[in-house]
Amino acid sequence: MKKLLLATAAAGLFGLAVTPAQAEYQTAHRGGTMRLVAHAAAGTLDPQINYTLQYWQLYQGIYDGLLAFKKAPGAEGFTKVPDLAEAMPEVSNGGKTYTFKLRKGIKFSNGQEVTVKDVVASFQRIFKVSSPTAGGFYAVIVGADKCLKEPATCTLDGGVVGDEAAGTVTFNLTQPDAEFFDKLALPHASILPADAPTTDAGSTPIPGTGAYYVSAYDPNKGMTMSRNPNFKVWSEDAQPDGYPDTIQFDFGLTDEAEVTAVQNGEADWMFDQPPTDRLGEIGTKYQDQVHLNTLTAWWYAPMNVNLPPFNNEKARQAVNYALDRNALVNLFGGPVLASPVCQVLPPGFPGHVDYCPYSKDPGTKWSAPDLDKAKQLVEESGTKGQKVTIIAEDTAVSKAIGTYMQSVLSDIGYDADVKPISPNIQFTYIQNTNNKVQISITQWYQDYPAASDFLNILFGCASFTPGSDSSINIAGFCDKDIQAKMDKALALGVTDQDAANKLWAEVDKDVTDKAPMAALFTPKHVDFVSKRVGNFQFNSQFYWMVSQSWVQ
């Protein structure tokens, strides 16, 4: 398995022990306020519901699960380590039973001690709040089938069993799951107080166990993260202490204003990618403040397979043939920052085999659009002249891509327009079938390094929940034959991951052929920081480790 996310800026940090002199130096850098800026908030604060990189990145210092991805730079960040559990679990029953021993003495930010009862309640809550991955990630737990049908009364009876006297929690699965540890290390499996609300907490912070807690939040203005007064380090790998005393995240800036704020030292980091017209300036005048990393991610345009015109396969394929992916790459910032793609799995990802049928010269790589083929398919589909609205994010790059796609759809015969909406609501809006979204522009960054995390999560039947803001299968795509092949690959991964990845490559081809989306490009990530930010480290799993940088 190739791992691409090696951080160039932090390469020298691998394997170095901390000497007393270094420890003293690090202590000297503790304190101050880290100032972050973004165009908008990222929706609900609820860690078991929110499904955005913007907040998952911050949750690393706020919440903990039984396991965690290691807080380390580069590909080492894909390693799973014990977090609230004392050690990796005992495995029995042919890989279907896992028993975790809970650490003692850990407290939530509200002062309550973490107990076995909190762990059991947290996994029940995943289903009660209809977490977007309840069906995709956690359906393998015994009792999950009942919880998915009747979330409000979920008990996971026999599936998650707590023994308060022994301080253990046992998970019983319906079948072995090669990716179960990955899923336990994600924010949706955060351990929360047993009395946490069993509905979306929205803008009200839920106490966590990390080094920080959310002390103030207004989705229209900003978020403040303060030091958790009850936090003590139990594992540097899982949850290290942070350097800043306060992390302040302000919302409401334009992309241009974010760049200027960092340049002027008024902000220390911008979440959104810099607009293309500022990249040259940043890369020359501020070269030492820029960190560039390749991502296992993609930008894509999901098409609703249950609404006209994209309930017609030929119409969806037409969009794929018509797109000039080089133009899309240039809108994102050029070939230094992105590469054109036609398929689901990113290059270098498990299961990826180069495949591009939607090109002037179909084969392994994209070369040029084929407008004649696209127009022919629109004619054959009988959908010519239909109205299509593209839902984009109200950011410079997404709006530009939306405007470009509007022109392409118009060229091939549709009555197209584009509707940009705030990033704070766009992601949930395009998921909810009640909004009747035909086509949209969005991005996907890996939850963890497995082919299923793109294919089964984004295009699996269990990820489609009509009428829900948490229906990550935005296209509403459910193909029984393809799903059967995905289920087979998931099962095969328990005993033979290489063979499973070969099957995932077939699934990737099958999904691409059915075209429930138009793949656009794979991005690189630009982190632009202020001069006063030190110890920048890029983690393969959750990107810049915010709390591990200092501002003093």
Side-chain angles (χ1 to χ4, degrees), residues 437-451:
V437 175
Q438 297 162 296
I439 182 171
S440 55
I441 300 160
T442 191
Q443 317 91 42
W444 186 253
Y445 299 79
Q446 99 287 334
D447 295 312
Y448 54 85

Side-chain angles (χ1 to χ4, degrees), residues 199-369:
T199 55
D200 185 348
S203 298
T204 303
I206 300 176
T209 48
Y212 296 87
Y213 74 105
V214 178
S215 53
Y217 184 65
D218 181 338
N220 296 311
K221 294 180 180 179
M223 175 195 303
T224 305
M225 293 167 55
S226 304
R227 287 193 182 278
N228 176 358
N230 296 294
F231 176 76
K232 292 180 180 178
V233 177
W234 59 84
S235 167
E236 287 283 355
D237 286 344
Q239 186 61 267
D241 201 358
Y243 285 103
D245 284 339
T246 305
I247 299 170
Q248 178 63 42
F249 206 160
D250 292 327
F251 310 134
L253 284 75
T254 65
D255 308 2
E256 295 279 354
E258 290 180 61
V259 173
T260 302
V262 176
Q263 287 176 340
N264 294 340
E266 296 164 354
D268 296 307
W269 175 79
M270 57 182 290
F271 167 75
D272 301 290
Q273 293 296 272
T276 53
D277 63 348
R278 304 293 292 273
L279 289 172
E281 174 191 6
I282 293 170
T284 51
K285 292 183 181 179
Y286 303 90
Q287 189 175 2
D288 293 344
Q289 295 167 230
V290 175
H291 303 271
L292 185 64
N293 291 279
T294 302
L295 303 181
T296 43
W298 71 331
W299 280 59
Y300 70 110
M303 289 177 270
N304 193 327
V305 302
N306 301 305
L307 284 180
F310 301 122
N311 56 350
N312 189 299
E313 187 176 305
K314 288 185 176 181
R316 304 193 301 268
Q317 292 173 336
V319 174
N320 274 281
Y321 277 110
L323 292 172
D324 183 341
R325 289 169 172 80
N326 280 342
L328 291 164
V329 164
N330 288 333
L331 289 172
F332 191 71
V336 173
L337 294 182
S339 302
V341 291
C342 301
Q343 64 196 103
V344 182
L345 294 178
F349 210 62
H352 174 91
V353 175
D354 288 342
Y355 179 59
C356 186
Y358 304 117
S359 179
K360 196 80 171 176
D361 303 300
T364 58
K365 299 288 184 184
W366 185 85
S367 60

Side-chain angles (χ1 to χ4, degrees), residues 528-548:
F528 182 39
V529 300
S530 72
K531 286 183 179 178
R532 67 188 200 126
V533 172
N535 200 41
F536 182 95
Q537 298 181 51
F538 190 90
N539 173 282
S540 297
Q541 178 61 27
F542 294 115
Y543 303 177
W544 175 44
M545 295 189 288
V546 181
S547 69
Q548 298 310 291

Side-chain angles (χ1 to χ4, degrees), residues 9-17 73 76 535-537:
L13 298 172
F14 283 110
L16 297 181
E76 198 178 350
N535 200 41
F536 182 95
Q537 298 181 51

Side-chain angles (χ1 to χ4, degrees), residues 28-44:
H29 286 87
R30 182 181 167 97
T33 298
M34 179 84 74
R35 300 165 303 184
L36 319 178
V37 289
H39 181 64
T44 176

Side-chain angles (χ1 to χ4, degrees), residues 69-282:
F69 286 97
K70 188 175 181 180
K71 306 299 188 296
E76 198 178 350
F78 280 142
T79 306
K80 275 82 66 181
V81 297
D83 191 351
L84 295 181
E86 288 184 352
M88 299 304 282
E90 293 180 18
V91 183
S92 58
N93 190 25
K96 293 193 291 185
T97 298
Y98 300 82
T99 300
F100 292 86
K101 176 83 171 177
L102 194 63
R103 295 184 196 266
K104 293 180 180 178
I106 297 176
K107 293 183 177 181
F108 291 108
S109 57
N110 63 3
Q112 292 176 217
E113 187 164 340
V114 179
T115 67
V116 165
K117 189 179 293 184
D118 298 310
V119 178
V120 174
S122 294
F123 280 88
Q124 293 169 347
R125 186 179 187 274
I126 291 171
F127 296 89
K128 289 179 178 179
V129 299
S130 297
S131 174
T133 54
F137 286 175
Y138 308 105
V140 72
I141 300 172
V142 168
D145 52 347
K146 293 180 181 177
C147 291
L148 288 167
K149 290 176 184 174
E150 299 179 16
T153 57
C154 177
T155 62
L156 290 175
D157 187 32
V160 182
V161 182
D163 184 333
E164 293 189 53
T168 61
V169 179
T170 298
F171 290 80
N172 293 305
L173 309 185
T174 57
Q175 61 191 41
D177 182 353
E179 299 165 12
F180 192 57
F181 288 175
D182 293 287
K183 297 165 185 176
L184 291 182
L186 295 175
H188 287 168
S190 295
I191 304 306
L192 308 174
D195 60 1
T198 53
T199 55
D200 185 348
S203 298
T204 303
I206 300 176
T209 48
Y212 296 87
Y213 74 105
V214 178
S215 53
Y217 184 65
D218 181 338
N220 296 311
K221 294 180 180 179
M223 175 195 303
T224 305
M225 293 167 55
S226 304
R227 287 193 182 278
N228 176 358
N230 296 294
F231 176 76
K232 292 180 180 178
V233 177
W234 59 84
S235 167
E236 287 283 355
D237 286 344
Q239 186 61 267
D241 201 358
Y243 285 103
D245 284 339
T246 305
I247 299 170
Q248 178 63 42
F249 206 160
D250 292 327
F251 310 134
L253 284 75
T254 65
D255 308 2
E256 295 279 354
E258 290 180 61
V259 173
T260 302
V262 176
Q263 287 176 340
N264 294 340
E266 296 164 354
D268 296 307
W269 175 79
M270 57 182 290
F271 167 75
D272 301 290
Q273 293 296 272
T276 53
D277 63 348
R278 304 293 292 273
L279 289 172
E281 174 191 6
I282 293 170

